[in-house]
Every structure is written in structure tokens, then in C-alpha cells.
Amino acid sequence: MEYLFDIFLISISAALINNFVLYYFVGICPFIGVSRQVSMAVGMGSAVTAVMTFAVFLSWTITTLILTPGAPLSAWVAGWFMSPEKARTIDLTIMTYIVYIFSIASAVQFVEMYVRRFYPPLYKSFGVFLPLITTNCAILFACLTVMSNVVGKANPAEAWDLGRSLALGFFGGVGFTIAIVIMAGIREELDLCDVPKPFQGAAITLIVGGILAMAFMGFNGVDTGIRSALGGL
Amino acid sequence: MNELPTPFERFVQGILPENPVYRQLLGLCPTLAVTNGLKPALTMAVAVGAVLLCANIMISLIRNLLKPHLRIVVFTLTIATFVTIVDRVLAAYMYQMSKTLGPYIPLIIVNCIIICRCEVCASRQGVVTAAADAVGQASGFALALTGIAAVRELLGTGMLAGFQVLPEAWPAWVIMVLPPGAFLTFGLLLALVNYISDHRSRKNA
Amino acid sequence: MNQTLNSHRRSEGFRHNKLVQAWLVLLLAIIFGSALAAVQVNLSDVIAANKLNESLEQVPELVWGAAKAAELVENKVRIDIEPGILTVDTDGKKTVYHLFRVSMDRTLAGWVIRAGGQGYADKIELLIGLSPDAGKISGLFVLEQKETPGLGNKIIFSQWRDQYIGKDTQTPLTVTTGRSNAPDTIDAVTGATISSKSVTDIVNLTTRAVNGRLASVEYVKQ
């Protein structure tokens, strides 16, 4: 029960309260570039959600099994060359960034192959966005958030398990989709307005984004409210 | 094939005519995220500059060995390595700052400015040009970041780089240091830059 | 004739082998790998020390208060700080606390405990100073917070934090919004009741958890 509650709070926080785009400013490039039409925004959002979930799965697995100090796989391999106590202190976290960026690249490849093979209509709707996603900072940010919740925890029991990480990955993507779709809806209306020339294009998008961010600030503290309403800390 | 720009041209281009933030709209994530104070903004600009310089020089040195289809892999590998080094150096010598910047330092890896400069300049031109280009683009980036950060910190807290500038009675506009302030400030500054460049080009014509 | 053709074909195949084409990537990977290893060897200790010092620097002030701590540091009095770990098992849920046992002249002077919990915006990490018998709070420091600037982040200022000093740990502290002189109340930061409550909740939970268990701390061998 407590576990489900935890997952629920992580999801709500990733999707709304600390929205990736409007609170952490990751994924701004597609937020401004691909938010002209709602249909495009939905495609981009689904692509990001799919890749983010898969990339978080990959990075969580690699981090817990190999990279974190005392990880089982690296300790086992190192155990062939040194004493078990020493093997458990092997710290490969310096490799994290390189490993993550390549696991994102492979996640993009994998999702692209899978969707093209099994869901051709879906591929038509968001396939074109997939190659763009490798350099989308939102995905790397999700992986890094998972890392900061797995590596170097004072309390080993507090380290995130796969379920929590996947919740963050999936709902982080949902949050991105929400933001970009709202933005696209507003921009479709904006096309009918007479925007002053210097503001046309990115500038007005940013200002609308600012107002959206203000609106999303209203969600701040919702998680603490739910937490205290349900009596947990 | 048209002639490629000289080192000096590359340097000047980076600062204003092809400013990475205002003209090319690249690297917006740190531009918005770390500009709630001058100090983090400057540190971020220096970190991006260091990675850009190292990556540009490295790529330029090996540009004749690059295979087209492996190009992006090599770029990513190089950038990720230099970012890791910068991240660790920052954590070792500026611990508080590295905590403030948090995940935005590793996010330099996916900063489009760097991969774009590797592709456009370093993989085609010599070391000197690549280095000049990196310094130019980095200064342009630093200029943009400090501009936004100065406005936000001044209006949001009445301070600049931690020193009180506006009178104590200034009602700090907290919204400026919060996320919405980043969008609003950058949007308005971008419109201002558009207006000025528009005005000038009309005058010249 | 046939042989030369074969060897020619083999060398062509060799040249088109994927691994050979990627020789540059592999070479770079080796170079970068060793560069990273060098960075790790040289800097990992410095970074670990930074992390520990961040807490250690605050210890004297949290145990003796700002004035006395400054005096002690100035007179270069020897203070012994032993890092330790306390595992608390409440209702089957294990919580690990990292703490410091602080002593001067071989006598116990107090404890500093690191504790964390959810704040208004993000996680809050605290250092809580306790008297030798863990009966009174001797200091509070906010290590990490991302509360709203201008409102919630006022919890980092000593004017607010100092009201915890001297509070009794036997009864849980409560947060009030008006000025109150009751012994177990904390005045909330104006406009940031939730941040204030979060800090107080962490303090309450921690003091209750460690109460009477400080004898079973495992010390880290140095």
C-alpha cells in the first residue's frame, strides 16, 4: 500500500508538480520547435514517453547492476582479480554519463525498430521524431534523476527500485506531452492573432510558456497535501 | 565549394551575428535553468566553454580520420568524456556550485551548441579556426546567459552576484527567480534583440 | 593467380569489417577511458572529502552554539568527531541515520544527526544537534533544500533555525502561525507554513527514532 502510494506521488510529481518542461526546463528545444500543431505535438510527446520509459529501464538496470559502488555484477567480475572486500568498493560511477548517452541512443534505435515492425500506423504518426530524440535533454535528465536516487543513498533501502524509476520515466514523458500539447493548442490559436513583429516565433512562445509555468506553479505543494491527508510523511 | 570563414570571422560570428542563444536558439535548457543568479550562470557558461573548446580542438585534430557514418558516435563520445571531466573537477574544487548546478552540468552532453559546432566547424576546419570558433561561440553563450541572469537576479532579489544593488526597499519580484521568470525574461529579451536587429537592417537597406 | 585473388578478396573483406572501420572509435574509447580513470584516481578522494566536510564544518556550532563554537575554533581546542551509523527498526521499516558523536577531552559533548524528508518543493536534508543524553536540541542546520526563494527558503537563516535550540525532545514540537510562547511550539516562516512544518516533522521523527538508541551506534573505522 505504502509502495503504491509512493509510486502515485512520484508520478504526480513528475507529470504535474515538477513538470520536466515548465519546472526543470528540459526538452525546451522541441517544446518551441515542434509545437505548431496539436497532432505533431502528440506524436512528439508519445515518442518521448516511449523512449524515456525504455531509457530509464536501461539506465536503472545498468546503474544498479554495474555502475553503483558495490554493484553485484561488477563486484562479481572484480572478484576474480582481487579480494571480495575490495571488489565491493569498485566505483564505476565516473562512466555514468557516457553509458547513459549511449543507452539513450540504443533505446531510440530499439523503440524505432519495434514500432516500425509491429505498429506501422503508429510509426507513421511519430516515427519521424524518433531520430531527433537522442539529443533531447529531457530523456537524459530522467536517467540522471533515477541515478541520483539510486547511487550514494545514505539509506540503502531508500534507493529506488525499478517500479519507481519506470513511474518517473513514463510520467515524466506524460508531463512533457501535457506541456507540449497545451502549448500547441495555444499556438494554433495564436496564428490567428496579430502578434507584434519582434515577438513572432520563439519570443511569443516563450512568454506563453512563462504564463503556463505560472499556472503549473499552482500544483506546487499538492504532493505534501496528499501526503498529510493520508497521514504519511 | 564556397570559402570557409577564417578564424577571426568565426570568432566574431559567434558573439553577436550568430549568437548561439539569441540567433540560433540552441542550448536553451541551461539558458533558462541556471540563470536565476549571475554566479551559477557564469559558472555554467565557463563549463560549456571549456567542453566546447576541448571538443572542438579534439574533433578538428582527427577530422581527416572521421568516417561519415561514425561521425556522430565520435562526437558524442568526445563530448561525454569532457563533460564528465568538467563535472568531477567542479565537484572537487567548487563543491557548493556543483551542487547548485546539479544535473545541468551532465546535461551539457546534449547541449546542441557543442554538437552543432563540431559538425559545422570543427569537422571541416583546422585547429586554430576550431579553437577561435569555440571561444567565439562560448563568449556569445556567456553573454546571453549573463544578460538573462543579471535581469532576473536584479529584479528577483535586488542583488547582483550576491551584492545588494537596488535599495533594500525594493520589493523583490520573486517570480523572476522562479521558473516562469526565466521564460518571461528570455522571451522579452529575445523580442528586444529581434527588434534591434530588425531596426538596424532596415536602416542599412 | 588464384591465390593472389583470394588474398586480395580477404584484404578487401578485412577492410570492410565493421570492427576495423570503427578503429578510431575504439582507440578513442581507450584514450578517453584512461583519461577518466586518471580523473577518478586523482579527484574521487577530494570529492568524498568535500561531501564529508560540508557536514563536519557545521558540527561545533550545532553542539555548542555559534558563539562558543567560534571561541573553541579560535583557541584550537581539540574536538573529536566520530562518524557512525545508526539503524533504527520501527514497525519493520528500517531507517539508517548517519551521525557524528562529538566529544571534547574524552567526554561526550553531543551528537549531530543527518536526517532528511520531503519538503514543500523537494527533499530537505538537515543536520540536527542533540545534547549528550539526546534530551534537548542543541542546533539545527539545513544542508539541502529547494524551497521557494523568498518564502520557504527562509528556513536556512539562523534567525528562524535558532528557535529550535533548547527545545525538549520528549514532546513533539508543533508549528504555530501566530507568536506563541508555549514551550514546544515553533513559529512558522511567514507564508511558508508547509516548509516550516516539514522541517519540524523531520526533527520530531528523528528525535523520536534515535531516542534511547544512541548506545547502539556502529562507528566507522578510520
Side-chain angles (χ1 to χ4, degrees):
Chain A
M1 184 57 213
E2 200 173 307
Y3 180 70
L4 285 180
F5 180 55
D6 217 25
I7 297 249
F8 173 66
L9 280 181
I10 290 174
S11 316
I12 256 202
S13 169
L16 296 174
I17 306 166
N18 298 339
N19 187 286
F20 275 26
V21 179
L22 299 170
Y23 185 83
Y24 288 120
F25 309 105
V26 289
I28 293 283
C29 295
F31 181 67
I32 290 169
V34 200
S35 60
R36 265 171 217 289
Q37 289 162 1
V38 172
S39 56
M40 269 167 82
V42 172
M44 185 72 189
S46 346
V48 167
T49 312
V51 173
M52 199 183 277
T53 317
F54 194 65
V56 161
F57 168 73
L58 281 183
S59 57
W60 182 87
T61 318
I62 296 173
T63 313
T64 11
L65 291 184
I66 300 173
L67 296 177
T68 185
L73 211 61
S74 52
W76 178 68
V77 172
W80 293 352
F81 307 103
M82 51 186 88
S83 65
E85 291 94 58
K86 221 171 168 198
R88 240 172 278 131
T89 60
I90 290 260
D91 183 3
L92 291 174
T93 40
I94 191 144
M95 300 287 294
T96 347
Y97 304 155
I98 296 176
V99 170
Y100 282 3
I101 194 75
F102 283 104
S103 59
I104 291 170
S106 50
V108 170
Q109 285 293 321
F110 188 85
V111 170
E112 186 175 9
M113 260 162 31
Y114 184 80
V115 174
R116 182 155 43 180
R117 176 85 178 73
F118 294 104
Y119 304 100
L122 203 61
Y123 182 76
K124 246 186 210 155
S125 75
F126 74 67
V128 284
F129 300 113
L130 278 169
L132 296 175
I133 287 177
T134 319
T135 52
N136 183 333
C137 31
I139 315 240
L140 183 60
F141 182 79
C143 297
L144 289 168
T145 314
V146 168
M147 180 196 89
S148 69
N149 282 297
V150 171
V151 179
K153 278 272 148 192
N155 186 352
E158 258 173 33
W160 277 12
D161 60 353
L162 188 57
R164 289 188 176 91
S165 311
L166 286 180
L168 177 100
F170 182 74
F171 283 96
V174 169
F176 176 85
T177 314
I178 292 175
I180 197 171
V181 168
I182 294 178
M183 193 66 207
I186 297 175
R187 277 184 87 173
E188 281 186 358
E189 299 295 316
L190 262 182
D191 284 344
L192 306 172
C193 300
D194 185 19
V195 179
K197 192 151 180 284
F199 281 95
Q200 276 168 14
I204 191 74
T205 315
L206 282 163
I207 289 174
V208 172
I211 297 167
L212 263 184
M214 260 187 239
F216 269 70
M217 269 175 68
F219 287 113
N220 231 323
V222 166
D223 53 345
T224 356
I226 298 175
R227 216 179 280 260
S228 59
L230 291 171
L233 185 83
Chain B
M1 191 176 160
N2 44 2
E3 234 166 79
L4 289 164
T6 60
F8 182 70
E9 279 168 10
R10 282 283 193 204
F11 174 73
V12 175
Q13 264 177 4
I15 297 179
L16 280 177
E18 273 183 35
N19 187 294
V21 175
Y22 286 118
R23 306 320 307 251
Q24 307 179 53
L25 294 176
L26 294 176
L28 295 187
C29 158
T31 309
L32 296 172
V34 300
T35 48
N36 51 6
L38 258 184
K39 275 185 207 161
L42 261 181
T43 320
M44 177 51 105
V46 171
V48 169
V51 174
L52 182 54
L53 186 64
C54 296
N56 250 8
I57 290 176
M58 186 83 200
I59 296 295
S60 173
L61 282 175
I62 57 171
R63 68 184 186 281
N64 294 327
L65 304 170
L66 284 175
K67 296 250 176 9
H69 58 285
L70 291 173
R71 203 179 66 238
I72 300 293
V73 178
V74 173
F75 291 171
T76 320
L77 190 65
T78 317
I79 296 168
T81 311
F82 286 122
V83 169
T84 312
I85 294 173
V86 165
D87 179 69
R88 293 297 148 125
V89 169
L90 214 56
Y93 300 110
M94 293 173 76
Y95 186 65
Q96 282 306 325
M97 188 47 82
S98 111
K99 256 176 66 180
T100 316
L101 292 175
Y104 296 104
I105 289 287
L107 283 178
I108 297 176
I109 301 175
V110 284
N111 192 323
C112 329
I113 297 176
I114 300 176
I115 209 154
C116 172
R117 292 335 288 179
C118 288
E119 173 78 37
V120 172
C121 175
S123 62
R124 296 187 198 158
Q125 292 184 285
V127 178
V128 180
T129 322
D133 180 68
V135 175
Q137 293 284 336
S139 335
F141 185 65
L143 201 68
L145 243 63
T146 45
I148 299 169
V151 173
R152 287 183 67 192
E153 199 184 353
L154 191 67
L155 297 180
T157 60
M159 296 191 270
L160 268 185
F163 296 105
Q164 194 77 31
V165 174
L166 294 176
E168 292 276 351
W170 173 256
W173 298 359
V174 175
I175 194 81
M176 296 308 276
V177 285
L178 292 177
F183 284 106
L184 296 177
T185 315
F186 182 45
L188 291 173
L189 283 178
L190 187 63
L192 184 71
V193 170
N194 283 347
Y195 178 75
I196 292 172
S197 65
D198 218 42
H199 199 71
R200 281 175 102 193
S201 65
R202 220 178 308 153
K203 221 184 227 171
N204 290 346
Chain C
M1 174 72 195
N2 218 345
Q3 214 168 9
T4 49
L5 199 72
N6 260 348
S7 78
H8 182 66
R9 204 175 281 152
R10 208 181 302 136
S11 77
E12 276 293 285
F14 180 73
R15 210 171 288 165
H16 283 280
N17 185 308
K18 288 232 167 73
L19 270 183
V20 176
Q21 286 217 342
W23 69 269
L24 182 66
V25 179
L26 294 175
L27 183 71
L28 281 177
I30 292 169
I31 296 173
F32 288 153
S34 25
L36 286 184
V39 170
Q40 169 84 346
V41 168
N42 286 318
L43 295 184
S44 65
D45 292 339
V46 186
I47 297 172
N50 279 345
K51 255 182 212 164
L52 191 62
N53 279 340
E54 191 191 19
S55 307
L56 283 181
E57 274 170 12
Q58 303 300 332
V59 164
E61 197 179 320
L62 289 174
V63 172
W64 288 286
K68 176 110 192 277
E71 189 188 314
L72 288 177
V73 171
E74 200 169 293
N75 296 337
K76 298 209 173 91
V77 179
R78 195 185 136 86
I79 302 166
D80 292 309
I81 303 172
E82 293 166 78
I85 292 171
L86 176 66
T87 314
V88 177
D89 201 334
T90 38
D91 313 324
K93 204 182 152 199
K94 267 193 185 155
T95 322
V96 178
Y97 289 100
H98 284 237
L99 47 76
F100 302 101
R101 183 186 192 272
V102 188
S103 49
M104 193 168 65
D105 301 333
R106 301 250 172 95
T107 47
L108 181 62
W111 305 84
V112 172
I113 300 165
R114 195 182 166 138
Q118 182 68 35
Y120 180 67
D122 210 323
K123 293 218 162 55
I124 297 180
E125 290 267 335
L126 302 175
L127 287 177
I128 305 168
L130 293 180
S131 61
D133 61 348
K136 284 216 182 323
I137 296 172
S138 58
L140 182 76
F141 184 77
V142 182
L143 265 184
E144 240 163 272
Q145 57 85 28
K146 291 197 181 85
E147 304 300 285
T148 323
L151 297 170
N153 79 343
K154 286 193 182 141
I155 57 171
I156 62 170
F157 296 122
S158 61
Q159 295 98 302
W160 188 77
R161 287 189 278 121
D162 283 351
Q163 50 176 327
Y164 284 88
I165 295 176
K167 297 282 183 203
D168 202 73
T169 58
Q170 299 305 314
T171 41
L173 302 171
T174 47
V175 176
T176 59
T177 43
R179 289 232 160 254
S180 141
N181 291 323
D184 292 320
T185 55
I186 297 290
D187 288 329
V189 176
T190 320
T193 320
I194 297 180
S195 300
S196 321
K197 243 178 102 61
S198 308
V199 173
T200 313
D201 283 342
I202 299 170
V203 172
N204 283 338
L205 204 76
T206 312
T207 48
R208 199 176 58 212
V210 301
N211 203 351
R213 292 198 176 88
L214 286 171
S216 57
V217 173
E218 290 168 38
Y219 293 100
V220 185
K221 269 178 257 162
Q222 279 177 326

